[in-house]
Amino acid sequence: DQQVKQNSPSLSVQEGRISILNCDYTNSMFDYFLWYKKYPAEGPTFLISISSIKDKNEDGRFTVFLNKSAKHLSLHIVPSQPGDSAVYFCAARESNYGQNFVFGPGTRLSVLP
Amino acid sequence: DAGVIQSPRHEVTEMGQEVTLRCKPISGHDYLFWYRQTMMRGLELLIYFNNNVPIDDSGMPEDRFSAKMPNASFSTLKIQPSEPRDSAVYFCASSWASGYNEQFFGPGTRLTVL
């Protein structure tokens, strides 16, 4: 059973608009969350993180929102740019359980010019 | 810093052969992780090390897989004997000790077992 789910395998957005990528998790003990971006033939690169003591974290065009009661987080990209086209992975960790991150299956974002 | 280095980038081998994947983590990082990415299972953690010591190998699929970290700057993932279902992209990642630290991934090794 997947502990971290990204139910949208793909998403297309027009350049300049907002991209919203969603992630749901089942383990209520998860307390730290990351978003990674992956281009073809490259390894995932870290994008933004949030700990469970916060409900929002911003970094430039990227904002992550965490709703602990719903076990849901989302990544907002505003404005979206063609260079944002990539696969986005959500990852979660239970800090008391060591360094194991559980990754979601990813969402492929296409930003159309 | 050159980032996490993996070799080879591509490996094609025949079923039954031994395969060794290599990783050089970022200097100063205390943790090293091996992941496997497949279409069916996504990105899954195989094993991770802290200060060269294996901490959790519960993700290693079976005894055909083994991983070592003889020193802070080198790790190997070995598959012996290899099988077609081992075909995947294998990523190595490293991070600093504890705290809220992200993992830095290498470019991956694409393994094809015929």
Side-chain angles (χ1 to χ4, degrees), chain B residues 13-19 79-83 113:
Chain B
T13 190
E14 292 188 346
M15 183 174 64
Q17 296 298 305
E18 178 180 295
V19 175
I79 309 172
Q80 165 65 11
S82 58
E83 298 182 3
V113 183

Side-chain angles (χ1 to χ4, degrees), chain B residues 18-84:
Chain B
E18 178 180 295
V19 175
T20 299
L21 311 181
R22 298 172 177 79
C23 175
K24 176 178 167 53
I26 292 173
S27 177
H29 281 189
D30 304 273
Y31 285 88
L32 183 139
F33 307 82
W34 282 101
Y35 289 88
R36 177 171 69 175
Q37 184 183 27
T38 61
M39 288 293 293
M40 292 297 295
R41 300 176 66 90
L43 196 62
E44 51 180 343
L45 178 67
L46 301 177
I47 184 171
Y48 78 91
F49 296 82
N50 180 23
N51 292 325
N52 314 337
V53 176
I55 301 301
D56 185 348
D57 64 355
S58 59
M60 296 285 262
E62 48 198 276
D63 292 346
R64 297 183 297 105
F65 286 69
S66 63
K68 294 182 179 180
M69 192 165 186
N71 57 63
S73 59
F74 184 66
S75 177
T76 59
L77 178 68
K78 187 175 293 187
I79 309 172
Q80 165 65 11
S82 58
E83 298 182 3

Side-chain angles (χ1 to χ4, degrees), chain A residues 32 36 41 43 93 99-101, chain B residues 9 31 48 56 99-100 103 106:
Chain A
Y32 186 50
Y36 280 86
R93 184 183 80 189
Q99 296 291 320
N100 301 41
F101 276 99
Chain B
R9 292 295 309 274
Y31 285 88
Y48 78 91
D56 185 348
Y100 296 122
Q103 298 173 12

Side-chain angles (χ1 to χ4, degrees), chain A residues 2 31-32 34 36 38 41-46 49-53 87 89 93 95 97-105, chain B residues 9 31 33 35 37 40-45 48 56 58 91 95-108 110:
Chain A
Q2 279 191 334
D31 59 0
Y32 186 50
L34 305 177
Y36 280 86
K38 184 182 181 305
E42 295 183 11
T45 55
F46 170 73
S49 65
I50 189 166
S51 74
S52 58
I53 62 174
V87 177
F89 292 97
R93 184 183 80 189
S95 296
Y97 196 60
Q99 296 291 320
N100 301 41
F101 276 99
V102 179
F103 282 77
Chain B
R9 292 295 309 274
Y31 285 88
F33 307 82
Y35 289 88
Q37 184 183 27
M40 292 297 295
R41 300 176 66 90
L43 196 62
E44 51 180 343
L45 178 67
Y48 78 91
D56 185 348
S58 59
F91 290 102
S95 71
W96 284 288
S98 68
Y100 296 122
N101 292 313
E102 71 271 19
Q103 298 173 12
F104 293 80
F105 282 77
R110 180 174 293 277

Side-chain angles (χ1 to χ4, degrees), chain A residues 42-82:
Chain A
E42 295 183 11
T45 55
F46 170 73
L47 198 55
I48 193 168
S49 65
I50 189 166
S51 74
S52 58
I53 62 174
K54 302 174 77 172
D55 55 18
K56 177 183 173 182
N57 190 26
E58 275 183 271
D59 185 1
R61 297 185 297 113
F62 302 91
T63 303
V64 56
F65 295 92
L66 176 62
N67 183 333
K68 290 187 290 294
S69 60
K71 298 192 188 69
H72 176 83
L73 64 158
S74 60
L75 174 68
H76 293 211
I77 307 174
V78 183
S80 302
Q81 299 174 355

